[in-house]
Amino acid sequence: MNVIYPLAVPKGRRLCCEVCEAPAKRVCTACTVTYYCGVVHQRADWGSIHEKICQLLIPLRTSMPFYNSEEERQHGLQQLQQRQKHLIEFCYTVAQKYLFEGKHEEAVPAALHSLRFRMNVYGLSSVELVPAYLLLSEASLGLGRIVQAEEYLSQAQWTVLKSTECCYATHSLLHRNLGLLYMAKENYEEARYHLANDIYFASSAFGTEDIRTSGGYFHLANVFHNLNKVDLADTLYTKVTEIWYKYLNNHYQVLSHSRLQQIDLLGKKFENNTGLDEAHEAEAIRILTSTLSIRESTSDRDPEKTVFVLKTLVLLYYLMMNYSKAQEYAMEAFILAKEKLSVHEQSTIQELLNLISAEESHPE
């Protein structure tokens, strides 16, 4: 990082910190188009997102070249907008992943980048800004900054109210974040209201059994768990697990079929994957491991439910090609099944263990 010399800045131009928008005193030497108020915010931005997008910012933040024709100029503008749209999604996914991993501080710079690119592309009052406001709200909640979270949520709500084109998916995200806010305030009645609305809008957008709807069920289950309404929480945790198991199992079956075809046609191995981006993989891990913790506290009464979550985690990590983690959960499920469940259930888990062993034996 280099210090900015005031005399080198063109008259009338104000350089702002990328993180807090305070007057900038330092510039990134790698891209020379990103500024910071000091070392602390530069390091925060670098660790969160800047390292990943540093060079991509150069064409976006330097003057457009001179074009010989209007057609060339329009083509240049289109390319610029496409780059910005790519960065909107990339920064959003990175911030989402941090949130699902509980890394709230790291999520903030990435979410701010997504918000600023959205403002550049869509304008200051577009509903496209809402997902970024919601990321910033959730990060603020995770950091215990409830007032700041409320400010971001107010901006999101106001933008949605003014818009005539807000889709069900955005309404779902807004209500989910309002639900999380009221959970943080321990106002469980308001939290229930908003999470019920989240499930309604997500179901309208994606269907009641979609993994994108599962987050609403999961948070509502947490509300009932906090209220000690055990039966209601239990039903919802089961539904969440069923949704993820069905998705992962279906994806595994499709991959298995494709793998057989690939071996027949090309004579080479077909790699596993989850069909999810990194953020949704992190969400699956968070939801399923949290559900497992709750199930393990009652596994003496309901070993089947604990084993079911473990089997879902086995499938998830197997498809993520994290075979050591998959084996860890499979062994845990097998030991519990051997103690408490039928021989048929034990043999099902043994098949999963054999599948993992086969992958570990033939990595290539």
Side-chain angles (χ1 to χ4, degrees):
M1 286 293 293
N2 274 358
V3 174
I4 295 169
Y5 295 102
L7 292 175
V9 180
K11 191 176 179 181
R13 188 179 175 199
R14 182 173 176 265
L15 302 179
C16 299
C17 175
E18 194 71 24
V19 177
C20 67
E21 297 189 338
K25 295 176 182 175
R26 303 173 76 85
V27 60
C28 171
T29 54
C31 65
T32 69
V33 292
T34 309
Y35 304 95
Y36 301 98
C37 62
V39 175
V40 173
H41 279 177
Q42 185 270 329
R43 285 180 181 158
D45 192 38
W46 182 263
S48 167
I49 189 71
H50 190 71
E51 183 182 12
K52 301 175 180 73
I53 64 171
C54 181
Q55 295 304 301
L56 299 176
L57 295 173
I58 298 170
L60 299 181
R61 293 180 173 176
T62 48
S63 301
M64 287 183 70
F66 175 77
Y67 293 108
N68 292 320
S69 67
E70 177 62 17
E71 188 180 340
E72 281 185 10
R73 194 180 77 83
Q74 287 299 327
H75 179 68
L77 285 170
Q78 282 177 354
Q79 280 193 318
L80 187 70
Q81 197 169 66
Q82 283 304 114
R83 287 186 183 124
Q84 286 182 316
K85 284 181 177 178
H86 166 73
L87 283 171
I88 284 169
E89 292 309 316
F90 180 74
C91 296
Y92 183 80
T93 301
V94 168
Q96 254 193 329
K97 183 172 185 275
Y98 282 135
L99 288 178
F100 290 135
E101 291 173 343
K103 298 174 181 175
H104 302 100
E105 197 81 60
E106 290 93 330
V108 173
L112 283 170
H113 274 287
S114 184
L115 178 62
R116 291 197 191 109
F117 288 128
R118 286 168 192 269
M119 288 175 170
N120 290 341
V121 173
Y122 301 111
L124 297 178
S125 57
S126 170
V127 76
E128 293 289 343
L129 274 55
V130 172
Y133 284 137
L134 296 179
L135 283 182
L136 288 162
S137 167
E138 193 173 341
S140 301
L141 273 182
L143 294 165
R145 300 168 188 164
I146 289 181
V147 173
Q148 192 175 43
E150 286 180 309
E151 286 173 9
Y152 283 125
L153 274 170
S154 294
Q155 288 177 296
Q157 276 186 294
W158 178 237
T159 306
V160 167
L161 281 170
K162 288 190 297 179
S163 170
T164 55
E165 327 174 312
C166 190
C167 64
Y168 286 148
T170 302
H171 277 292
S172 162
L173 284 175
L174 176 60
H175 282 290
R176 186 170 304 180
N177 278 267
L178 285 163
L180 292 173
L181 171 69
Y182 285 110
M183 281 178 74
K185 291 175 147 188
E186 297 186 3
N187 183 341
Y188 294 119
E189 283 306 308
E190 278 295 313
R192 280 169 62 179
Y193 167 77
H194 286 293
L195 292 169
N197 274 288
D198 163 24
I199 292 165
Y200 167 76
F201 284 114
S203 298
S204 301
F206 311 116
T208 55
E209 307 299 314
D210 194 276
I211 55 172
R212 288 165 290 188
T213 309
S214 71
Y217 295 127
F218 172 69
H219 292 303
L220 190 56
N222 289 339
V223 168
F224 287 128
H225 183 72
N226 290 337
L227 291 170
N228 209 27
K229 296 188 175 181
V230 179
D231 289 345
L232 288 169
D234 179 73
T235 302
L236 287 167
Y237 286 130
T238 299
K239 186 167 186 65
V240 170
T241 311
E242 284 171 348
I243 288 170
W244 278 102
Y245 183 83
K246 184 180 176 185
Y247 169 81
L248 292 165
N249 190 48
N250 286 348
H251 194 71
Y252 166 69
Q253 298 299 337
V254 169
L255 280 180
S256 297
H257 181 66
S258 300
R259 175 182 286 158
L260 287 171
Q261 287 185 326
Q262 286 284 69
I263 289 169
D264 290 342
L265 294 171
L266 303 173
K268 70 175 187 181
K269 192 166 180 177
F270 190 82
E271 285 195 344
N272 286 327
N273 67 74
T274 58
L276 305 168
D277 62 27
E278 287 187 347
H280 286 105
E281 286 180 353
E283 180 185 26
I285 291 167
R286 186 183 72 163
I287 285 175
L288 292 169
T289 52
S290 298
T291 304
L292 178 63
S293 297
I294 287 157
R295 291 300 189 211
E296 283 179 332
S297 66
T298 59
S299 60
D300 286 342
R301 293 199 308 274
D302 289 312
E304 297 93 343
K305 290 173 182 175
T306 306
V307 167
F308 186 40
V309 184
L310 285 165
K311 281 163 61 179
T312 309
L313 278 161
V314 171
L315 271 176
L316 174 63
Y317 279 110
Y318 174 78
L319 291 170
M320 288 174 68
M321 296 194 288
N322 185 339
Y323 300 122
S324 61
K325 202 77 180 166
Q327 186 169 47
E328 181 188 318
Y329 283 120
M331 282 304 300
E332 196 179 329
F334 186 72
I335 291 163
L336 188 57
K338 207 168 180 182
E339 290 174 3
K340 311 269 187 182
L341 303 181
S342 66
V343 174
H344 173 70
E345 190 62 61
Q346 291 171 43
S347 64
T348 305
I349 299 162
Q350 184 62 61
E351 284 172 21
L352 286 172
L353 279 164
N354 294 342
L355 199 66
I356 297 159
S357 296
E359 290 290 350
E360 289 182 317
S361 308
H362 306 287
E364 293 302 324

